[in-house]
Amino acid sequence: MSWNIQWNKLIFSSDVSFDEKCRSVFRFQAKNNPFYKRYLSVFGMNFDSSPDPDEIPLLPIRAFKDAEIITEHEEPAFVFRSSGTSGMERSIHLIADPGLYRKSITKEFYRHFPREHYSLLCYMTGYNENPDSSLIWMSKHLVETDSSGCSSFITAEKQAAGRYIRKIKEKNRIPVLFGAAFGLLDLIDAGISELPPDSHIIETGGMKTYRREMTKSELRQRLAEGFGVEESQIHSEYGMCELLSQMYAIGGEWFTCPHWVRVTIRDPENPSRICEPGEQGKIGLIDLANVYSCAFILTEDRGTKNKDGTFQVLGRWSSADLRGCNFLIDRD
Amino acid sequence: MSGTQKHIEKISKTVEEWLRPDNLQLKDAIERTAAASFFSFEDIKHRILVLKHSLTQKNLEKWAKISKLRENSLRDKDVLCLHAGNLPLVGIQDLLAVVMAGGSYSGKISRKDPHLLQTFLNILDVNGLLPNSHWSTEISDLSGRNADALLFAGSEHSVDSVLQTVQKLKLLKPEAHKLMRTAHFSIAYITEHEPQTMEDLTESVFRYGGAGCRSVAIVVAPFHLNSQKCSFTDYVEALWLNNPQHEKPPESLFHRFAYNKAMEIPQAWLNDFLIEQTFLKPDNKFILHWVKGNFETVQTIVNQFQDGLQSVYSTADYIGKKIGEFRIEPLSEAQSPPVWWKPDQVDTIEWLQTHIGKSAN
């Protein structure tokens, strides 16, 4: 079989149905990803199989800790590593085609925050210790692709932050402050909280929960009060080192997916079973941008899904291995 | 005959009366337990048989000697026993410890095993061996007992909530002592694969479907799993022929099998059980971890996983040797322990006497 497919075009094309794209990626991985191929064989599947997306076995996310997950004949251009304290196992995501990540980042981010109106201020202090962070890479890419030149990384230094904010406003643009939840709270504590009232905040989840535990709704309220914006301007991002796509919860706690990602909630006792709307389980993801690693992933995150297809992240299924990609504390 | 001997004789006669084949109450309890599918009939039968052999007067006297039992050392003392429900009659040793030391028994009987222990309690009561005692499957029925000590056996995850409930219902005096036993797996070390060893190993792993802290969850052997996979599977099938696996594993076990396959981990899939060659702390009763190694490997595992470890078993050459606080026990006794076996390495009578017992005089 020839795999002369331009994944970059196919995956992000809205002219091709998700199911069709998913089938192509499945067959490609069933043939070319040795790890996933062995996994599938136990379920009696191979590259000739044509399962519905919901029937495709999801690979436990710890595979990214235990093995090199990459399709044959691909050399990684670079590597993402999850954050983690010493002694903690870290996930490794080998990136064969950075172009897929670039496109995935910008397509979904600019869908919510069009590039002609918004500029980004990234506060990522906690992640500087991890040079292989996918979140830092993503932030850099978004800063670099802002042709207005107004996007930037900021520190907790008040005057410098103020200059960046003024620059954005002088160009009649809207600031989007982007950072890990507890880093943003640090900014408030540092007095860097004077944002224009039309600003938006995106929190990317916890940072090893180095402060006291806090629910999502409590966090949203504190961010809104601290930065002087409406709660409807507080958003969340759900992403992780093992994924090349991100999901956003706009103005609330319910996430939507880009059209090349599908989320299901899986029964932890039987991951083949998809939970009913409202039922809690492990978050299962099909991220077609992961075509060169593994697109079919069962996370250890606890979630629930609505009838309208939006989903909520409620923490870790097991509290034993807190990693810090999204908000980890069960809601009240 | 000393007072202690007379007391033990009375207990022993009560046990005999309870385990007599014509005890219709026990027969009915066995039938109801099996019918409710709490445990398989075969597992209950095995358990009763083990108790018949272990709860003899001679063995009770031996336990009394080992634990330095003093006559009525727990008189006027109330002991709260919170029994687990993972094996039939799992709390009987705690009950006997209290009765032998002459204490009052406050028992929370497991809702997963409500009938069997009840029949023994009834007979003990009729024979005057349970003064001021009370028991129930509802913990709230024991409210305000203000017991002097707590004996708990169960999962580590439940300890906090159990203690909260105990406090809320005033089940214990504020100064009460607590024995919280949370061991949940055992290790076997084998050096050869003679039929008797493999049969004992099979029994030690699969007798109660992997449940119970005495069940073997890690086996250390000088050979790879793959070299013994076929013959070991035969032993397992032979055991299952007469003792079918009662509780079925969740589907997620099959997904683990698939993951192991992807990882190229040697393993054996037995439909209701998974054997995998991995060096991991057991956290799933349907998985046996096979480790290729020698006695040093066993020592390493014991040191690494001792939190949660119940027993270390082996065959003749190693029985009686010590690894830290663990004295190696016979593999053949994994599922048929003597009455004086020590859950979490603690002799219950000794512990009770030390903490709440009256002094020797």
Side-chain angles (χ1 to χ4, degrees):
Chain A
M1 171 178 267
S2 159
W3 295 108
N4 194 16
I5 296 173
Q6 288 184 287
W7 293 114
N8 210 317
K9 280 191 180 165
L10 178 71
I11 288 165
F12 302 109
S13 165
S14 38
D15 297 333
V16 185
S17 74
F18 178 84
D19 286 14
E20 196 175 327
K21 291 187 286 191
C22 183
R23 211 163 288 133
S24 298
V25 171
F26 172 79
R27 298 186 70 196
F28 176 72
Q29 297 196 333
K31 176 81 177 168
N32 296 298
N33 182 326
F35 192 93
Y36 190 54
K37 185 166 38 176
R38 289 194 295 272
Y39 185 68
L40 286 178
S41 68
V42 174
F43 296 91
M45 290 189 191
N46 59 34
F47 75 97
D48 278 336
S49 310
S50 208
D52 287 339
D54 287 349
E55 293 168 354
I56 295 174
L58 302 180
L59 185 68
I61 197 163
R62 68 162 300 113
F64 286 85
K65 288 179 178 171
D66 291 340
E68 290 194 346
I69 308 297
I70 191 164
T71 50
E72 287 170 334
H73 317 301
E74 300 298 335
E75 284 299 318
F78 51 80
V79 172
F80 288 140
R81 287 185 174 83
S82 63
S83 53
T85 52
S86 61
M88 210 172 181
E89 289 177 289
R90 294 169 71 185
S91 291
I92 292 178
H93 195 171
L94 304 170
I95 307 300
D97 180 1
L100 284 169
Y101 193 37
R102 284 191 204 102
K103 199 157 179 179
S104 164
I105 291 167
T106 49
K107 267 190 90 84
E108 189 60 3
F109 185 83
Y110 292 138
R111 180 166 81 93
H112 297 294
F113 305 97
R115 65 171 85 204
E116 56 272 29
H117 300 305
Y118 292 89
S119 283
L120 197 61
L121 295 173
C122 303
Y123 181 66
M124 296 284 160
T125 180
Y127 285 87
N128 290 342
E129 291 152 19
N130 180 9
D132 302 318
S133 157
S134 58
L135 183 63
I136 294 283
W137 201 97
M138 169 187 169
S139 305
K140 276 183 184 162
H141 182 61
L142 286 170
V143 167
E144 285 162 8
T145 50
D146 179 2
S147 56
S148 75
C150 292
S151 290
S152 177
F153 281 84
I154 61 167
T155 62
E157 208 269 296
K158 200 171 176 177
Q159 284 186 335
R163 277 199 301 276
Y164 287 118
I165 294 165
R166 277 196 298 280
K167 187 177 167 188
I168 291 172
K169 287 317 290 175
E170 279 164 15
K171 293 207 174 180
N172 282 324
R173 295 175 69 81
I174 304 166
V176 177
L177 180 59
F178 186 54
F182 294 101
L184 295 174
L185 293 174
D186 279 348
L187 281 185
I188 296 172
D189 289 349
I192 304 172
S193 52
E194 290 169 20
L195 293 180
D198 60 346
S199 302
H200 291 255
I201 318 282
I202 305 174
E203 60 86 14
T204 67
M207 272 171 49
K208 301 290 166 294
T209 59
Y210 69 92
R211 286 194 184 197
R212 72 176 182 84
E213 294 185 353
M214 191 186 292
T215 63
K216 193 90 159 179
S217 53
E218 201 180 342
L219 171 73
R220 291 174 49 75
Q221 197 180 349
R222 282 194 60 184
L223 290 175
E225 281 170 7
F227 288 111
V229 299
E230 296 294 321
E231 264 192 57
S232 59
Q233 290 155 241
I234 307 291
H235 320 292
S236 295
E237 182 252 12
Y238 178 57
M240 57 191 82
C241 156
E242 297 88 344
L243 294 184
L244 291 190
S245 300
Q246 301 80 42
M247 279 59 71
Y248 292 90
I250 300 299
E253 298 179 27
W254 293 90
F255 290 88
T256 57
C257 299
H259 66 75
W260 59 90
V261 174
R262 182 171 288 179
V263 166
T264 50
I265 307 299
R266 302 299 178 118
D267 178 355
E269 294 285 282
N270 177 11
S272 299
R273 185 181 81 82
I274 293 175
C275 295
E276 296 296 319
E279 186 183 349
Q280 289 188 19
K282 287 183 178 177
I283 295 176
L285 289 151
I286 300 179
D287 178 6
L288 300 180
N290 270 19
V291 61
Y292 292 116
S293 53
C294 184
F296 310 97
I297 294 173
L298 182 66
T299 72
E300 287 298 315
D301 291 335
R302 182 190 292 267
T304 185
K305 204 172 166 183
N306 254 339
K307 278 183 182 161
D308 65 5
T310 58
F311 72 98
Q312 208 176 16
V313 183
L314 301 169
R316 292 281 177 223
W317 192 261
S318 158
S319 59
D321 187 18
L322 297 181
R323 283 185 315 162
C325 286
N326 203 296
F327 205 76
L328 308 180
I329 310 305
D330 287 356
R331 56 176 293 140
D332 50 7
Chain B
M1 192 184 267
S2 72
T4 303
Q5 278 173 318
K6 277 184 195 161
H7 186 54
I8 288 176
E9 188 183 21
K10 193 174 177 185
I11 295 169
S12 163
K13 286 209 157 71
T14 305
V15 170
E16 270 176 39
E17 190 186 338
W18 175 51
L19 294 175
R20 273 168 54 164
D22 60 353
N23 179 353
L24 296 180
Q25 270 195 14
L26 178 60
K27 198 166 168 267
D28 177 57
I30 292 170
E31 280 166 9
R32 281 197 289 157
T33 300
S37 206
F38 291 125
F39 305 106
S40 72
F41 182 69
E42 291 79 8
D43 280 352
I44 303 168
K45 213 166 66 177
H46 176 267
R47 186 79 173 135
I48 298 279
L49 205 64
V50 168
L51 291 175
K52 229 174 214 173
H53 287 127
S54 66
L55 300 185
T56 60
Q57 185 172 341
K58 198 175 143 199
N59 284 340
L60 292 175
E61 281 170 355
K62 189 169 175 186
W63 186 18
K65 196 175 167 192
I66 292 169
S67 61
K68 299 181 183 71
L69 176 71
R70 301 189 303 272
E71 188 181 353
N72 277 328
S73 57
L74 296 188
R75 186 164 47 197
D76 303 328
K77 298 288 179 183
D78 191 62
V79 181
L80 174 65
C81 299
L82 303 181
H83 300 303
N86 52 340
L87 298 184
L89 288 160
V90 74
I92 197 165
Q93 196 205 37
D94 284 350
L95 168 61
L96 279 170
V98 176
V99 172
M100 281 172 70
S104 301
Y105 166 81
S106 296
K108 157 70 179 76
I109 299 169
S110 172
R111 279 193 286 262
K112 291 178 192 162
D113 184 14
H115 309 305
L116 296 168
L117 195 63
Q118 185 85 32
T119 59
F120 187 41
L121 286 162
N122 289 342
I123 286 186
L124 285 169
D125 198 26
V126 166
N127 290 346
L129 287 161
L130 287 175
N132 307 315
S133 295
H134 189 68
W135 57 89
S136 173
T137 53
E138 296 299 324
I139 197 163
S140 56
D141 289 349
L142 302 170
S143 286
R145 283 295 288 186
N146 263 318
D148 298 280
L150 167 64
L151 300 180
F152 167 86
S155 127
E156 198 177 345
H157 301 296
S158 62
V159 166
D160 286 347
S161 63
V162 162
L163 290 177
Q164 277 171 17
T165 306
V166 163
Q167 193 180 12
K168 193 175 143 201
L169 297 175
K170 296 189 171 59
L171 301 181
L172 289 177
K173 287 178 178 158
E175 70 278 12
H177 293 272
K178 304 176 191 84
L179 179 58
M180 311 301 285
R181 293 155 305 177
T182 57
H184 59 273
F185 70 94
S186 292
I187 298 174
Y189 174 48
I190 58 170
T191 53
E192 32 74 25
H193 44 77
E194 292 299 314
Q196 188 58 54
T197 304
M198 296 311 278
E199 274 173 24
D200 288 345
L201 179 65
T202 307
E203 172 85 8
S204 72
V205 177
F206 297 95
R207 162 56 60 189
Y208 294 114
C213 62
R214 291 190 62 89
S215 290
V216 166
I218 300 176
V219 58
V220 180
F223 30 83
H224 275 287
L225 169 63
N226 281 344
S227 72
Q228 288 304 310
K229 196 156 99 175
C230 291
S231 64
F232 189 40
T233 306
D234 289 343
Y235 287 108
V236 179
E237 280 174 2
L239 181 98
W240 276 349
L241 206 61
N242 295 319
N243 308 276
Q245 175 91 349
H246 180 64
E247 195 184 339
K248 301 292 177 191
E251 279 294 316
S252 56
L253 192 72
F254 183 71
H255 289 247
R256 180 164 177 142
F257 166 57
Y259 188 76
N260 286 346
K261 171 97 174 173
M263 288 285 292
E264 298 179 304
I265 291 170
Q267 59 180 341
W269 173 247
L270 308 178
N271 287 323
D272 291 337
F273 224 94
L274 179 64
I275 308 173
E276 59 177 44
Q277 194 162 309
T278 47
F279 191 113
L280 293 170
K281 189 169 184 179
D283 63 356
N284 185 326
K285 66 181 174 185
F286 298 104
I287 295 174
L288 171 66
H289 300 271
W290 188 286
V291 178
K292 183 180 178 292
N294 53 24
F295 191 65
E296 276 179 23
T297 317
V298 182
Q299 289 173 311
T300 307
I301 293 174
V302 170
N303 289 331
Q304 208 166 320
F305 299 157
Q306 58 182 286
D307 183 22
L309 173 63
Q310 168 53 49
S311 297
V312 184
Y313 312 115
S314 192
T315 45
D317 292 348
Y318 291 88
I319 292 167
K321 285 193 173 157
K322 283 196 89 177
I323 304 176
E325 61 179 3
F326 296 90
R327 185 177 293 280
I328 296 179
E329 302 171 41
L331 180 60
S332 57
E333 287 182 4
Q335 304 294 14
S336 49
V339 64
W340 54 85
W341 78 279
K342 298 176 177 180
D344 284 43
Q345 308 302 308
V346 180
D347 183 306
T348 315
I349 292 180
E350 201 179 328
W351 183 88
L352 284 169
Q353 289 191 147
T354 304
H355 290 90
I356 60 164
K358 294 184 195 310
S359 58
N361 297 312

